[in-house]
Amino acid sequence: MSDYDVLVIGAGAAGIAAARCLQQQGLAVQVLEASREPGGRAHSERTSFGYAFDCGAHWFHSPADNPLRAAADALGVAYASRPYPAHWYRDGALLSVAENADCAQAIEDGFARIVALGKAAADQPAAAALAPDAPWAPAMAAEFTAKQGVAPARGSCRDFSRYQWKGEDLPLVDGFGELLRRLAHGLPIALDSPVTQIDWRNARGVQVHGPRGTLRARRVIVTASTGVLASGVLQFLPALPARTQEAIHRLPMGHCNKLALAFKQPVFEDIGPVLLVPAGADAEPLELLLRPAGQALAVAIVSGEFGRALAAAGLDAARDLVLGQLVSLFGSAVTRALAPSQRLVNWDAAPWVRGYVAAPGPGDADARAWLAEPVGERIFFAGEATSLTAMGDAHGAWRSGEAAAAAAARGLA
Ligand SMILES: Cc1cc2nc3c(=O)[nH]c(=O)nc-3n(C[C@H](O)[C@H](O)[C@H](O)COP(=O)(O)OP(=O)(O)OC[C@H]3O[C@@H](n4cnc5c(N)ncnc54)[C@H](O)[C@@H]3O)c2cc1C
């Protein structure tokens, strides 16, 4: 006898979407979330800086076709109505208007070449589409790494070519985590409830074990990241089929971490995001989000191997590096204005995420579809890693949760 029709593991975007769908169909659903709050990689902190700071997701990508944007409209969660134009800088100075346009065009052309190569018969690393000595090559490599979490040499052209991007990115003013918190409101979510084992030996259902006990259900939707799935902290009994295990192995996590620094008074011009043109081809992807005057907060986003190593080096090292960049741009007043509120978010060290988003290497893009295949008609995987067209994005995770819920509900009502 089952306690539930469907158990959902994880209350991030995919898990919340799945639970809402299942609940709307009148099915008995329970969500088990390992951490103390819903949202997963879309998590906002409201207290330490006095206003929303997004530790993870911050922008609506493809706002023209993003179901979460419609949800924000319905729930009154504020987001910018227009994108903030990005400026590139190097050696402590913003590029001129002409140079900035040149750099942006080179990046657009580089992305177009990756997409074209991605449609060829054999997949190749994104680096194959980029001439390392071309003008703006380091900026191009940094932009790719910021999006994918891995350098072009590690990224798949095929995977990149499948990503569908419609419209310009819009940042959430109230916080992406705040949106998911409101979308999770009223759902049956047990927080602080890590699942350690899914026993699917019985063809009629699953038993889900954790420190809080055992629950039985007819089906289970698993939304944990591929970083968590690969780590073995969540065991399957019997082991997952070889194809699913192979999919997890072929979807390792990229890296993207954040540092937020507060200042006692506004010390920046209101210029929107600024991105570093790295000195060489070994990209050091660094983006600084400088809050408009009155909100003296700098958020540094560091990606790829550089971002992994910087976050691992700890708060002092990360702050020194970012402060050095800010001083080079705005002068030493920045250091004097630094406030004690400082927050390093290291997603690689977050035990229930273990990285940024899934980043398949050359030849591995199809692993996303393999992971999305139901196992034994009772285990359904969802999450950003399983999205085929909005991979790595919160709305891709959301749609994958809806798809998994539809598949899991089949024949249950
Ligand atoms: C720094 C950063 C910046 C980003 N920026 C953007 C952006 O601007 N726009 C955008 O669209 N996307 C962005 N993303 C990506 C986006 O956040 C993710 O694609 C999306 O939130 C993933 O949702 P998910 O449901 O697939 O996974 P998750 O959000 O990881 O949710 C899975 C949940 O499962 C829980 N869990 C894991 N294991 C267990 C277990 N054993 N038992 C119980 N619970 C478990 C986790 O705690 C987690 O809450 C960013 C991500 C990061 C890290």
Side-chain angles (χ1 to χ4, degrees):
M1 187 64 189
S2 294
D3 304 315
Y4 298 97
D5 290 317
V6 185
L7 287 170
V8 178
I9 313 305
I16 293 169
R20 285 170 63 103
C21 288
L22 294 164
Q23 208 181 42
Q24 276 160 17
Q25 294 179 56
L27 293 169
V29 57
Q30 174 66 46
V31 185
L32 299 170
E33 166 55 51
S35 48
R36 293 197 182 128
E37 287 175 65
R41 279 169 273 176
H43 175 71
S44 311
E45 287 182 359
R46 311 210 108 253
T47 47
S48 54
F49 299 99
Y51 32 81
F53 160 53
D54 277 325
C55 298
H58 180 55
W59 284 274
F60 283 140
H61 298 309
S62 295
D65 181 30
N66 190 324
L68 291 170
R69 183 189 186 185
D73 289 337
L75 292 166
V77 175
Y79 57 90
S81 55
R82 270 173 299 172
Y84 298 156
H87 292 267
W88 288 85
Y89 77 99
R90 67 180 159 197
D91 302 330
L94 294 177
L95 300 185
S96 70
V97 173
E99 285 173 326
N100 207 60
D102 217 29
C103 180
Q105 188 60 51
I107 289 170
E108 208 172 296
D109 294 347
F111 281 162
R113 283 196 304 277
I114 296 173
V115 169
L117 261 194
K119 297 189 193 308
D123 193 11
Q124 294 191 57
L130 311 172
D133 47 359
W136 310 114
M140 174 65 220
E143 183 81 359
F144 180 89
T145 309
K147 178 67 196 145
Q148 304 296 96
V150 293
R154 266 267 289 106
S156 152
C157 284
R158 175 92 75 247
D159 198 52
F160 192 84
S161 73
R162 290 176 176 168
Y163 180 70
Q164 287 176 11
W165 189 62
K166 289 179 199 155
E168 293 183 282
D169 305 336
L170 301 177
L172 274 95
V173 177
D174 285 345
F176 219 129
E178 175 61 18
L179 173 60
L180 285 202
R181 198 183 63 78
R182 292 198 205 172
L183 284 164
H185 184 73
L187 291 175
I189 301 177
L191 299 170
D192 242 335
S193 302
V195 171
T196 51
Q197 189 188 69
I198 296 176
D199 181 340
W200 58 292
R201 286 175 297 181
N202 186 329
R204 286 196 303 272
V206 294
Q207 284 194 25
V208 170
H209 304 280
R212 287 168 175 265
T214 299
L215 295 177
R216 287 169 195 78
R218 294 163 76 188
R219 293 178 186 166
V220 62
I221 294 175
V222 181
T223 72
S225 73
T226 53
V228 170
L229 294 172
S231 74
V233 290
L234 171 54
Q235 292 184 335
F236 291 83
L237 191 66
L240 289 167
R243 187 172 158 95
T244 311
Q245 289 191 43
E246 182 69 21
I248 293 166
H249 172 72
R250 287 175 180 238
L251 294 167
M253 301 288 276
H255 309 284
C256 178
N257 295 305
K258 287 192 181 180
L259 172 73
L261 298 177
F263 296 86
K264 291 174 213 147
Q265 68 266 352
V267 278
F268 320 116
E269 300 155 42
D270 182 3
I271 51 174
V274 292
L275 299 96
L276 173 67
V277 180
D282 285 340
E284 295 185 354
L286 173 70
E287 177 168 2
L288 299 167
L289 305 181
L290 307 174
R291 290 300 178 98
Q295 290 195 348
L297 174 72
V299 176
I301 307 174
V302 287
S303 316
E305 191 46 37
F306 169 68
R308 185 203 63 71
L310 192 66
L315 176 62
D316 290 353
R319 184 196 50 233
D320 288 353
L321 185 135
V322 172
L323 211 50
Q325 293 292 323
L326 290 169
V327 168
S328 78
L329 276 164
F330 303 107
S332 55
V334 171
T335 309
R336 290 193 296 277
L338 190 65
S341 239
Q342 302 168 5
R343 171 88 163 93
L344 175 67
V345 184
N346 183 350
W347 287 101
D348 303 314
W352 300 109
V353 177
R354 297 176 185 242
Y356 166 45
V357 294
D364 291 340
D366 290 343
R368 297 187 187 278
W370 302 356
L371 183 60
E373 290 167 6
V375 172
E377 293 173 2
R378 49 202 185 283
I379 304 178
F380 300 80
F381 288 93
E384 56 80 17
T386 65
S387 171
L388 302 183
T389 54
M391 52 287 265
D393 285 356
H395 68 285
W398 183 267
R399 287 212 169 105
S400 79
E402 292 178 335
R410 222 160 276 147
L412 283 187

